[in-house]
Every structure is written in C-alpha cells, then in structure tokens.
Amino acid sequence: MAVPGFTFGAFILVLHVSSVANYPSGKVGKSCHGMVPEHSHTARSDPVHNVSVSQMTFRPGDQIEVTLSGLPFRGFLLEARNAEDLSGPPIGSFTLIDSQVSQLLTCEDVQGYAVSHTNPSKKTKIKVYWNAPSNSPNHIKFLVTVVEKYKIYWVKIPGPVISQPNASPFTTPEATVAPLSTLPPVSHLTKSFSASDCGNKKFCIRSPLNCDPEKERACFFLSFTRDDQSVVVEMSGPSKGYLSFAFSHDRWMGDDDAYVCIHEDHTVHIQPSRLMGRSHPVMDSRGALEDMAWRLADGVMQCSFRRNITLPGVKNRFDLNTSYYIFLADGAADNGRIYKHSQQPLITYEKHNVTDYPKNVGGSRSLFLLKAHGALMFVAWMTTVSIGVLMARFFKFVWAKPVFGQAAWFQVHRTLMLTTTALTCIAFVLPFIYRRGWSWYAGYHPYLGCIVMVLAVLQPLLAAFRPPLYDPRRQMFNWTHWSMGTAARIIAVAAMFLGMDLPGLNLPGPWKTYAMTGFVAWHVGTEIVLEIHAYRLSRKVEILDDARIQILQSFTVAEAEGHAFKKVALAVYICGNVTFLIIFLSAINHL
C-alpha cells in the first residue's frame, strides 16, 4: 500500500462517503463524466426538480440563463451536453450569478465545464449563465444531478434542448432500454453466529480474544470458513451504525479491499468497497457477493456473505489465497451515511491467509510504537521528572553528603533529569517513525510535544553552564532553570491529557482522565505538604527570656529536624506515583 499516513485508524475516517452529497464543499469534479453519486443506493426515477432556460435558441458566444428549481435540495451537479451525444464531454462553460451557493468545477481539465453547490444547506433555486462556445454543436441539452439527502438523489435529470437558429429540428434518438440490474438476494439470519468451530473449521478474529458472539454481546467477531472455491464470511459486533473489515497489504490505509455492513431503516446493507489513500471509500457492486444475510438483536449487528476465493475480472477485490493484515472496525451511521469509527480499529498482529489452516487470532487496537511512545512519556513525566524535582526542591540538606564529588541529592537529581531527557527523545521519534512523518490529525498534542522536547533538551544544556554558587549570575540561572523546568512539566501534563484521548493509544475512558487528574493532584498535594512543612520549620524561633527577641533558627538546622518526615513523605509519594504509573502502563499493555 503506497499511501503512508494513518493506520487503519484511518480505516474510516475513511469510511465517510464519496459523492455529490457527501462533499459538503461541492468539490465533485471526479463525478463530472458519469454524474453519479457513489452512495451505494439506487437513484430515484421520479424527478421533482426542473431545469429551465431564458431562451430556446442560441448562437456561439451567447450567454443563456439556466435555472434549477424544485423541492429543497442540498447538492447538485449541472452540465451542458451535445443533445445528440449525451455520453460525450460537457459543452461550453458556465458563469456564476451567486458564488455563495454555486461554484465552477474543472472537468476534462477545463475550468467551468460544470457547476455544483458550495455548501450542504438546503436550497430551492439556483441560477447560472451558460456560455455557448464558438464550436458548439447544433443542439445542447442540460443535465443535472440533484441530491436531497444521502440516500435520496436523482441522476441526469433532463433539461430543455436549445438549438442554433439554422439547425434542423431536434429529434430525440430512439432510446435503448438497458436491462435492470438484479441485486443479489439478501436473507435474514435466524440465529446468532457461534465460535465453537473457531480453530477447527473457521479462521476467527475476536476481540476480546476467545469471546463467543453467541454468548457475549460485547464480542467483536469475524470468521472465514472455506467451502471448496469460496469463503463464507461472518461478522458480528455491538453496533447501531456499521461494522466493517478490510484486507490490507500493510498496516496503512490505501488500496484496501473492504466490506461494510450498514444498519439503515431496520435492515442491514452489505456492501463491498475499496479504500483509496485517505479519500472516502468507494462503494462497489455487490455482484461478487452471494448468500448475503443479516440479523439485528439486542444492539448486536450480524451479517454474512459468500464470495469466491479468486474473482478474475472483478476489480478491487483481492484474491483470498494470499496473506493480508485484517482490520475490524465499527462506528455510527445515519441514513446510510458512514461516520468515523467509534474506536480504534482492531488490526491483526501479522498477515494471515484466511483460506489456509483454521486459526484463532487476535489483534490490537493500538500498535507497538504508539504504546511505547505513551509508556515512555508516562515514565518520564510522571515518575523520573517528578521525583527529580522533589529532590532538588526539598532534599538538599537531607542528602548533602558528597557522592563521587557531588552532593548525593544532586547526583540523584541529575540522573533522573538526564533519564527524563533520554526517555523523551526516544519517545519523541516513535510517532514520526509510525506515521512516517507529521500527523495532521492529532490536534494540539504533537505541537505541545515538540515544545516539551525542546525544553527537555535545553534544560540539561543550560545546566551544563551553571555558574558557581556565589557567582552574580547564579540567581538568574536558578530562575531560568526553574521556569523552563516548570513550563516543561505543565506542558507535558497538558500533552498527556490530550494524547490519552487520541485513537492511536486508545486508552479506555473516562477513567483515564480521572486517573491522570488524580496523579496531578497527588503530585501537587505532595509539593504543598512539603512546602508547608519547610515553611513551619524555617519559622521556628528561640525566644530569649530577657529581651523577648525572636531569633530565626538557621534554615539548615530547621531542615535537619524534618529529615525523617521528608523521607517518609518521599517514600509515600513514590509508592503513589508508581501506582499511578502501573495503572497507565497496564492499560497500555492490554490494548
């Protein structure tokens, strides 16, 4: 698959629709030739919209007003064709009257060959000008495709025929009636699928692993059973919108063979489709599918079909006697329109040949590189940096004895901070390796991550040039070092909050937000307790009986009196910190 970018997490940002109607901006230039929306629905044959013109004759160079009117509609595509060759390219060009509701399209590499909508708002009338070219044929017919909503549309509604003054009268060519296409029959399943034959007769993919759709409502289930030269596919899962799966040559979206079961009007439509890069899926003919059946019960959607292992002559369908990564996704749908998946799609750990030996396999909704990224960032900014900050702020006089030429607290602080920088650097590059570049779909998280990365690298570099203790510049260094470190910690926490909500990591919610909030409160609470403790010790006084003069005890002595308390506080803090870390790492590991 040649298109890098989103993993199948893409698989259905992917599954929006492609067509005149589902492009709210009206950028439907690729539909110029056929003028057919790819909605996996049948066009209506009873048009309720009308095309009218300001005059019935024209000369080359004339400008004729064309009006589209009728019941409220959302999208349209208007063209002029040679009335004697309607399958030919568009003729002439258009000029807009109201650019707020209509726009020019480029068809056949010519700007203005067609006109479409600019937004999905309802409209009842559109007016444009058609410009007659110098080489215009004798007779021109206007055609329009109108979309009321996703599943209600009309294709190539015929408009009036206009003619040049000296042209012979136009006669409608005798129509040849094309045979009606017959769609494969669809039946209703009488009972739920079973996982009893998984690993024996069926190749099964399940989430959770080893779940049974017959007994567990929350079971996502996909099975393949070979039957001579065909394969029977069964798919089940809790969904009120759609379920889908796809065969892929790699873990990236693009050039995939996908199949979608869409819940609409108390029925389920089973539709093969193909995924082209990050564009919307293109729905294909169901002619290659047989024995289609479906079932809806207790919020669970089930669908099945049969297809041949090889389909010579059928475009976009993969041969099933080859190994592929397999994706399983679900999401919302409305009036047959598919929306972004509700959770990160399940992706098999490796490629599988579903016509080979029956197996029981699982998958993951988050790939290893993203898991590693999240785990390393949690370790760095929940544990090492937090403990390192406490060491520098409150334990200078607790562990002041030198170790290898430096105070013990400083050695621990430096080691923890360098560890934080190293973990951040490693974690930082992993998403770029995974995405093969910058991710434009992760919101503010990557931008905040870059800021954190810069600060994490600058901090140790700045520390390397720390002035001596009594140098006049030392105070400026201390404030700069503290400010940059505090900013890095705050931004890192914000980035982690945002990162937890990204589908690539797929942490279960809403507990993740509560747990992260709990960690922040735990750390801030510990710092407040230690600050109060340090303040109270520093304010201890010795009152002389004679003069009643308050003499502040030295800060060093006061700190020494609280060593035991600080050590206990640090031990308790580390235990709580590690508990929060284990919670997050366990959640990541089980995705």
Side-chain angles (χ1 to χ4, degrees):
M1 301 181 20
V3 180
F6 211 19
T7 93
F8 208 65
F11 187 40
I12 316 199
L13 184 63
V14 277
L15 290 177
H16 275 323
V17 286
S18 86
S19 70
V20 171
N22 200 41
Y23 283 105
S25 63
K27 302 291 186 180
V28 293
K30 70 176 185 179
S31 297
C32 284
H33 179 71
M35 300 183 71
V36 180
E38 294 169 335
H39 285 199
S40 70
H41 289 275
T42 303
R44 296 294 180 93
S45 58
D46 51 341
V48 293
H49 301 87
N50 177 64
V51 178
S52 59
V53 293
S54 58
Q55 61 190 65
M56 299 303 296
T57 59
F58 72 94
R59 299 178 184 275
D62 282 356
Q63 192 172 67
I64 297 175
E65 184 179 271
V66 183
T67 303
L68 167 63
S69 59
L71 296 178
F73 57 94
R74 296 183 181 276
F76 71 94
L77 178 61
L78 174 66
E79 297 181 14
R81 300 278 182 97
N82 183 344
E84 297 175 315
D85 182 18
L86 294 179
S87 62
I91 303 296
S93 63
F94 288 91
T95 299
L96 301 180
I97 293 178
D98 184 355
S99 61
Q100 298 296 315
V101 295
S102 59
Q103 64 180 325
L104 301 178
L105 294 182
T106 299
C107 303
E108 307 283 340
D109 295 325
V110 178
Q111 171 70 8
Y113 254 8
V115 184
S116 73
H117 55 285
T118 59
N119 60 70
S121 63
K122 289 184 178 181
K123 43 193 82 72
T124 58
K125 182 179 289 187
I126 296 292
K127 289 187 176 184
V128 294
Y129 291 117
W130 177 73
N131 306 304
S134 58
N135 58 346
S136 175
N138 288 329
H139 307 283
I140 294 294
K141 190 180 190 71
F142 293 95
L143 300 175
V144 65
T145 290
V146 178
V147 178
E148 181 180 312
K149 57 183 180 179
Y150 179 71
K151 64 179 182 179
I152 300 179
Y153 57 90
W154 296 262
V155 174
K156 291 185 177 179
I157 299 173
V161 175
I162 59 175
S163 306
Q164 297 200 44
N166 299 324
S168 57
F170 174 74
T171 56
T172 304
E174 184 177 347
T176 56
V177 180
L180 293 175
S181 60
T182 57
L183 295 176
V186 180
S187 61
H188 191 274
L189 293 168
T190 57
K191 62 179 182 178
S192 177
F193 300 141
S194 173
S196 59
D197 289 330
C198 287
N200 297 318
K201 296 180 181 179
K202 295 180 178 179
F203 183 101
C204 296
I205 302 168
R206 293 182 275 178
S207 177
L209 190 63
N210 297 325
C211 67
D212 189 339
E214 193 173 24
K215 304 173 182 177
E216 301 172 54
R217 181 180 175 276
C219 180
F220 285 93
F221 174 83
L222 178 64
S223 74
F224 303 88
T225 306
R226 181 164 183 168
D227 182 13
D228 194 20
Q229 295 303 308
S230 65
V231 172
V232 176
V233 179
E234 297 175 336
M235 182 164 55
S236 173
S239 177
K240 296 182 179 179
Y242 69 87
L243 292 173
S244 59
F245 76 92
F247 298 107
S248 175
H249 294 289
D250 56 26
R251 292 176 177 269
W252 301 96
M253 189 196 80
D255 299 328
D256 299 329
D257 181 4
Y259 301 83
V260 191
C261 296
I262 309 171
H263 180 194
E264 179 189 3
D265 294 336
H266 307 292
T267 189
V268 175
H269 299 286
I270 303 172
Q271 195 73 42
S273 63
R274 65 186 186 275
L275 305 178
M276 306 296 291
R278 283 198 52 78
S279 62
H280 305 298
V282 178
M283 300 299 180
D284 291 329
S285 168
R286 291 185 285 178
L289 307 185
E290 302 174 353
D291 300 339
M292 291 185 290
W294 59 272
R295 179 175 181 265
L296 293 170
D298 300 324
V300 175
M301 182 192 305
Q302 297 188 328
C303 57
S304 67
F305 61 87
R306 178 194 300 271
R307 60 149 285 187
N308 290 337
I309 295 175
T310 59
L311 293 169
V314 179
K315 292 183 178 181
N316 309 315
R317 305 279 74 84
F318 292 176
D319 290 343
L320 300 186
N321 52 8
T322 304
S323 295
Y324 305 100
Y325 288 104
I326 303 171
F327 301 88
L328 179 60
D330 67 292
D334 180 35
N335 286 322
R337 181 174 180 174
I338 298 172
Y339 294 90
K340 182 182 178 181
H341 52 78
S342 55
Q343 59 179 327
Q344 186 75 354
L346 185 79
I347 307 175
T348 55
Y349 294 111
E350 56 185 308
K351 291 182 178 181
H352 295 283
N353 182 344
V354 298
T355 62
D356 206 348
Y357 301 105
K359 293 180 182 177
N360 254 315
V361 302
S364 173
R365 295 188 184 274
S366 181
L367 299 183
F368 174 76
L369 288 178
L370 293 185
K371 288 182 180 181
H373 168 76
L376 292 175
M377 285 301 192
F378 279 132
V379 171
W381 294 96
M382 287 182 65
T383 304
T384 58
V385 77
S386 300
I387 298 173
V389 167
L390 294 182
M391 293 298 299
R393 179 69 183 91
F394 301 105
F395 290 85
K396 290 182 179 179
F397 301 106
V398 178
W399 288 302
K401 292 183 179 181
V403 176
F404 300 113
Q406 295 282 359
W409 74 266
F410 180 76
Q411 295 285 33
V412 174
H413 170 76
R414 180 167 58 183
T415 300
L416 290 173
M417 292 310 190
L418 289 175
T419 301
T420 299
T421 298
L423 293 176
T424 302
C425 290
I426 296 171
F428 181 79
V429 301
L430 296 181
F432 289 95
I433 296 174
Y434 169 65
R435 302 291 187 194
R436 301 178 186 177
W438 182 265
S439 175
W440 298 103
Y441 304 94
Y444 292 108
H445 176 75
Y447 298 97
L448 296 180
C450 288
I451 296 173
V452 170
M453 177 63 196
V454 171
L455 293 175
V457 172
L458 286 179
Q459 276 291 79
L461 292 177
L462 179 65
F465 296 96
R466 181 181 57 172
L469 183 59
Y470 299 106
D471 190 288
R473 297 170 299 171
R474 181 60 177 259
Q475 187 173 9
M476 181 180 294
F477 165 83
N478 289 342
W479 278 105
T480 304
H481 191 58
W482 176 86
S483 300
M484 289 177 60
T486 301
R489 292 164 58 205
I490 293 173
I491 297 172
V493 169
M496 286 192 289
F497 268 108
L498 295 175
M500 290 188 303
D501 288 330
L502 293 177
L505 194 55
N506 199 47
L507 286 173
W511 73 264
K512 59 189 177 185
T513 303
Y514 300 148
M516 193 65 189
T517 303
F519 159 72
V520 173
W522 178 254
H523 179 81
V524 172
T526 301
E527 286 207 35
I528 291 174
V529 168
L530 289 173
E531 285 284 3
I532 293 173
H533 175 71
Y535 176 78
R536 292 186 63 183
L537 286 177
S538 68
R539 297 295 297 171
K540 277 191 173 182
V541 298
E542 178 180 342
I543 303 176
L544 301 180
D545 290 336
D546 294 337
R548 310 293 295 175
I549 301 175
Q550 293 184 337
I551 303 176
L552 292 177
Q553 292 182 320
S554 74
F555 187 77
T556 303
V557 174
E559 280 291 297
E561 294 179 2
H563 287 182
F565 176 84
K566 289 187 176 182
K567 289 177 181 179
V568 172
L570 180 63
V572 173
Y573 172 77
I574 292 176
C575 289
N577 188 290
V578 171
T579 300
F580 281 110
L581 184 63
I582 290 174
I583 291 173
F584 281 106
L585 295 184
S586 297
I588 292 174
N589 185 55
H590 284 87
L591 294 178

